[in-house]
Amino acid sequence: MEFKLTEEQQDIVNAVREFAEKEFDIDYARECDQQHKKPVELFKKAADNGFICVHFPEEYGGQGLGWFENALIVETLCRVDSTLGTATFLPKFASELILLYGNEEQKNKYLPKVTSGEWISSGMFTEPNHGSDIATSDTTAVLKNGNLVINGTKTFITNGELAYFGTTLAQTQEGAKHRGQSMIIIDDLQNRNGVSITDVGLKFGIRSSSTCEIAFSDVEVPEENLLGEKNKGFYQAMNFFNESRIEIAAQALGIAECAFDKTLSYIRERKQFGVPIGSFQALQFRVADMAAKIDAAKLLVYRAAWKADYDKPDPVFTAMAKRFASRVAVEVADEAMQMHGGYGYMAEYDVERVYRDAKITEIYEGTSEVQRMVIANNIIGKL
């Protein structure tokens, strides 16, 4: 068992870090956070450098690599800066659904546009009245004259105001609950008749990422925009989450490392009583605990990614990685603020921003409670 990266993987990490350190200006990161700016140009630059969707096949513009390499890229981006790193990798969100379930025409239409950075994508699952319960959907899609007519509302939608296209989960068989849901592609989201997009407002963290509510009023799309098999959308979403949660776990890992790196720099430079505060044993013990937690999270994240590449995504491994890494991100960021003292509470030192960015990883793409349910149900089984 090898506990080290291959030469190619290390080269990827080095190239991504070099890119991020060049492109991620700290003042710009603060500006994006404070003014809720969406730095979409970073997504395009990352795509130009081949860092977007590296786990896609080469015929669709990817690198033909795996989820492991993708996780390394996300981790490294967020380690350099939690705010801009998140804004750089999230704009391709949910495009994997088309890779998983699209026909060749759909794959050739959408995926090269995403990998090139030309199109931003979105996944529309959560509803105002149901939250984590995506097995229940008030959004409907009814077939009329060869078109699917969609009505309903989705909320907390990543990339809502930026995406050219998105995939939405809708009820296509009345009364069948999750057994009657389908996944549907909606093109030209920003200009399509019947689509209303509203920013959800100022968020606690990841303010450089677009989050919206999207309402559909008699929105018509061609029947061929159905993604995969009809009435299998819920199961498609579950399989997608088994993969995408690896990416969020990697994001959390990178954010934890970002907070840790800032803390190490601070305690080596900050002096009290004539010596660097890093010489105080109380702080040294905290650093030791932070490092151990980060390394444990890294092993879980890397294992989940490895499993996805060499066999298939394992819901238990993925859920463990996502739940643990997200908790570590919050705990390490919290310790970072504490070890900075009063300065940690100030925007100038950035650790409060990292803390705010960390918290979302425990909530989106399945809350920590949902991850525990997945883990327990797979271990215990149905009683």
Side-chain angles (χ1 to χ4, degrees):
M1 185 177 292
E2 291 283 347
F3 285 94
K4 63 179 181 180
L5 302 181
T6 66
E7 185 177 343
E8 180 184 18
Q9 289 165 345
Q10 189 60 57
D11 286 344
I12 290 171
V13 171
N14 293 342
V16 174
R17 187 169 189 93
E18 182 180 355
F19 164 82
E21 288 176 344
K22 175 184 176 183
E23 298 292 342
F24 291 1
D25 178 76
I26 192 67
D27 291 327
Y28 187 44
R30 294 167 184 165
E31 182 182 340
C32 289
D33 174 70
Q34 293 164 6
Q35 300 181 22
H36 221 186
K37 283 188 175 181
K38 317 301 187 303
V40 293
E41 75 282 356
L42 293 176
F43 172 65
K44 182 67 170 75
K45 288 180 179 180
D48 290 341
N49 282 271
F51 301 145
I52 300 300
C53 300
V54 296
H55 54 306
F56 284 16
E58 292 180 7
E59 60 261 38
Y60 307 124
Q63 304 293 325
L65 300 174
W67 272 102
F68 194 99
E69 287 77 18
N70 185 67
L72 289 174
I73 290 171
V74 171
E75 175 195 355
T76 305
L77 290 170
C78 292
R79 181 171 189 167
V80 174
D81 188 84
S82 62
T83 300
L84 298 182
T86 297
T88 301
F89 84 86
L90 270 184
K92 60 87 181 172
F93 176 65
S95 57
E96 287 89 355
L97 275 164
I98 294 178
L99 179 64
L100 286 169
Y101 298 106
N103 55 42
E104 280 305 308
E105 183 178 351
Q106 291 168 336
K107 290 178 182 179
N108 286 314
K109 177 180 179 179
Y110 297 101
L111 299 185
K113 296 287 190 180
V114 175
T115 56
S116 69
E118 183 176 346
W119 285 357
I120 290 173
S121 58
S122 181
M124 297 169 280
F125 312 109
T126 305
E127 296 190 353
N129 294 327
H130 302 299
S132 296
D133 179 21
I134 70 167
T136 304
S137 176
D138 295 332
T139 300
T140 61
V142 179
L143 186 60
K144 292 182 180 178
N145 301 319
N147 288 325
L148 291 162
V149 182
I150 305 169
N151 285 280
T153 302
K154 300 291 184 178
T155 195
F156 299 129
I157 305 306
T158 299
N159 304 331
E161 66 181 304
L162 305 173
Y164 172 75
F165 73 95
T167 50
T168 190
L169 195 61
Q171 200 74 33
T172 46
Q173 183 177 338
E174 187 178 358
K177 208 176 178 182
H178 66 283
R179 294 182 178 86
Q181 293 179 353
S182 299
M183 202 73 72
I184 302 164
I185 305 169
I186 304 178
D187 296 89
D188 199 14
L189 273 171
Q190 309 305 315
N191 302 299
R192 183 171 287 277
N193 290 335
V195 175
S196 177
I197 303 175
T198 307
D199 190 288
V200 296
L202 188 63
K203 303 190 295 287
F204 180 70
I206 62 163
R207 294 175 178 175
S208 62
S209 173
S210 165
T211 310
C212 297
E213 182 168 285
I214 302 181
F216 305 113
S217 178
D218 292 330
V219 175
E220 295 188 13
V221 299
E223 187 179 6
E224 54 262 34
N225 278 31
L226 184 70
L227 184 61
E229 188 178 346
K230 188 176 182 180
N231 297 329
K232 296 295 183 181
F234 173 80
Y235 306 101
Q236 294 169 356
M238 292 299 100
N239 289 334
F240 163 66
F241 290 147
N242 285 339
E243 293 186 346
S244 64
R245 285 169 180 164
I246 298 171
E247 192 168 76
I248 303 306
Q251 175 196 10
L253 173 61
I255 291 175
E257 291 171 321
C258 181
F260 187 70
D261 291 345
K262 290 180 182 299
T263 301
L264 285 183
S265 296
Y266 181 77
I267 66 173
R268 285 167 174 159
E269 296 173 4
R270 173 69 169 167
K271 290 186 177 181
Q272 289 286 284
F273 308 105
V275 295
I277 62 173
S279 64
F280 301 154
Q281 193 174 66
L283 270 64
Q284 291 177 350
F285 284 179
R286 286 182 168 183
V287 167
D289 288 343
M290 292 162 76
K293 288 178 181 179
I294 289 171
D295 207 44
K298 180 173 293 192
L299 290 171
L300 282 171
V301 173
Y302 286 9
R303 182 181 69 169
W306 174 87
K307 181 70 171 175
D309 289 335
Y310 287 93
D311 184 12
K312 61 181 180 180
D314 187 303
V316 174
F317 286 2
T318 299
M320 285 181 175
K322 202 270 188 185
R323 193 214 69 80
F324 189 79
S326 61
R327 178 87 298 248
V328 167
V330 173
E331 290 178 351
V332 169
D334 181 72
E335 284 281 41
M337 286 185 64
Q338 191 69 23
M339 292 169 71
H340 277 72
Y343 292 114
Y345 211 66
M346 306 303 293
E348 178 185 355
Y349 282 78
D350 296 299
V351 289
E352 60 85 28
R353 174 168 59 84
V354 178
Y355 177 87
R356 289 187 286 104
D357 287 341
K359 184 59 186 175
I360 191 60
T361 63
E362 290 195 297
I363 299 172
Y364 69 3
E365 207 74 356
T367 63
S368 292
E369 290 75 18
V370 168
Q371 306 313 312
R372 290 186 177 99
M373 288 169 55
V374 171
I375 297 165
N377 289 342
N378 277 272
I379 292 174
I380 300 171
K382 293 184 178 180
L383 299 178

